[in-house]
């Protein structure tokens, strides 16, 4: 019952059976715009989206709930984030939409994103590997119980503390590792001050125990926003390379 908007990047070549990828922005209180984005983080992402489109992908950038520009209820869902991750429904809806398009190869629908986009990428691969055949998770959050009052032993606890932790766990990608089947590239900078580096190292170990195909890329001595341009280019190239190899059956 929620209307969700998105931007589509596609090369006008009339080809059939195209691979597709959903780009999930971070934030999450952001809005991806129709043109070039005023934020360097997202203008960079849009450059990568255009590059992937030029390589033959259909790219969908989803303005999922929690974002701005679509009213108070869309921006503040009662079951969003640690309270139920309802925003993931919008990512899945985009995948279902792509799955229904005649020019899309249903077996080559992928997902990628950074930060909160990495969180939702991991959730997509864990919950719906039948729909999403692989993805790139860039400095994503994977265990939501590690933040704020949910991880505190010092504060007086609210009456619903245990329920809140359980709900936050169920709203975390690591809760769905048992149903995770799709290959993934996990990228993280080891001096990240926004998302703990251990969020990715922990997920890697969990996936290895399940024998899930994965590749990793650690950006050494850099932060969440990749302060060095060379590192940003390294992340872009690794993301594109992984998705292209997936689409060509090399993974």
């Amino acid at each position: 019952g929620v209307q969700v908007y998105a931007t589509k990047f596609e090369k006008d070549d009339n080809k059939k059976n195209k691979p597709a990828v959903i780009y999930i922005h971070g934030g999450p209180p952001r809005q991806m715009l129709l043109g070039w984005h005023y934020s360097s983080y997202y203008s960079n992402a849009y450059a990568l989206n255009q590059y992937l489109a030029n390589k033959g992908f259909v790219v969908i950038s989803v303005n999922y709930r929690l974002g701005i520009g679509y009213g108070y209820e869309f921006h503040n869902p009662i079951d969003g984030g640690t309270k139920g991750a309802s925003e993931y429904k919008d990512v899945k809806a985009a995948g279902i939409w792509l799955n229904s398009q005649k020019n899309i190869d249903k077996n080559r629908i992928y997902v990628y994103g950074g930060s909160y986009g990495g969180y939702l990428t991991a959730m997509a691969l864990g919950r719906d590997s039948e729909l999403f055949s692989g993805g790139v998770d860039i400095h994503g959050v994977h265990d939501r119980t590690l933040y704020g009052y949910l991880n505190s032993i010092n504060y007086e606890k609210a009456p619903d503390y245990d329920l809140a932790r359980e709900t936050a766990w169920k709203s975390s990608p690591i809760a769905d590792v048992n149903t995770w089947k799709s290959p993934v590239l996990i990228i993280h900078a080891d001096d990240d001050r926004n998302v703990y580096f251990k969020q990715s190292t922990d997920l890697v170990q969990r996936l290895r125990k399940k024998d899930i195909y994965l590749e990793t890329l650690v950006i050494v001595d850099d932060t969440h926003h990749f302060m060095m341009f060379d590192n940003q280019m390294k992340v872009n190239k690794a993301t594109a390379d992984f998705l292209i190899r997936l689409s060509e059956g090399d993974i």
Side-chain angles (χ1 to χ4, degrees), residues 24-27 64 111-122 136-138 140:
I24 313 173
H25 69 80
Y64 55 87
V111 62
Y112 92 96
S115 195
Y116 210 90
Y119 158 67
L120 290 172
T121 291
V136 181
D137 171 358
I138 307 168

Side-chain angles (χ1 to χ4, degrees), residues 81-85 119 123 127 144 166-173 175:
T82 56
K83 296 176 290 184
Y119 158 67
M123 186 165 285
R127 291 188 177 184
R144 302 208 63 168
E166 181 183 358
T167 304
W169 169 263
K170 291 178 179 178
S171 303
S172 302

Side-chain angles (χ1 to χ4, degrees), residues 70-157:
Y70 302 103
Y72 180 85
E73 291 183 359
F74 191 90
H75 183 42
N76 296 275
I78 60 174
D79 54 354
T82 56
K83 296 176 290 184
S86 60
E87 63 275 15
Y88 171 65
K89 296 177 183 178
D90 307 335
V91 175
K92 184 176 181 179
I96 292 172
W97 183 85
L98 285 168
N99 188 267
S100 69
Q101 302 305 298
K102 294 181 179 179
N103 65 326
I104 301 297
D105 184 342
K106 295 175 174 55
N107 296 314
R108 293 192 295 164
I109 299 176
Y110 311 111
V111 62
Y112 92 96
S115 195
Y116 210 90
Y119 158 67
L120 290 172
T121 291
M123 186 165 285
L125 299 177
R127 291 188 177 184
D128 291 291
S129 282
E130 299 299 324
L131 178 60
F132 300 109
S133 300
V136 181
D137 171 358
I138 307 168
H139 47 227
V141 174
H142 309 122
D143 181 355
R144 302 208 63 168
T145 67
L146 295 179
Y147 288 91
Y149 75 95
L150 293 171
N151 191 38
S152 174
I153 60 173
N154 299 318
Y155 299 117
E156 182 178 336
K157 292 180 173 57

Side-chain angles (χ1 to χ4, degrees), residues 190-233:
D190 64 0
D191 197 24
D192 193 326
R193 313 295 176 87
N194 297 62
V195 176
Y196 302 140
F197 183 54
K198 66 179 181 181
Q199 289 274 0
S200 288
T201 58
D202 175 73
L203 177 63
V204 166
Q205 297 307 318
R206 293 174 186 271
L207 294 178
R208 281 177 175 168
K209 288 180 180 178
K210 294 295 180 181
D211 201 27
I212 305 301
Y213 181 87
L214 65 90
E215 297 180 12
T216 61
L217 173 62
V218 176
I219 305 299
V220 178
D221 292 336
D222 209 341
T223 66
H224 191 69
H225 295 95
F226 307 122
M227 303 300 287
M228 293 186 64
F229 181 74
D230 283 351
N231 286 337
Q232 183 64 77
M233 290 302 295

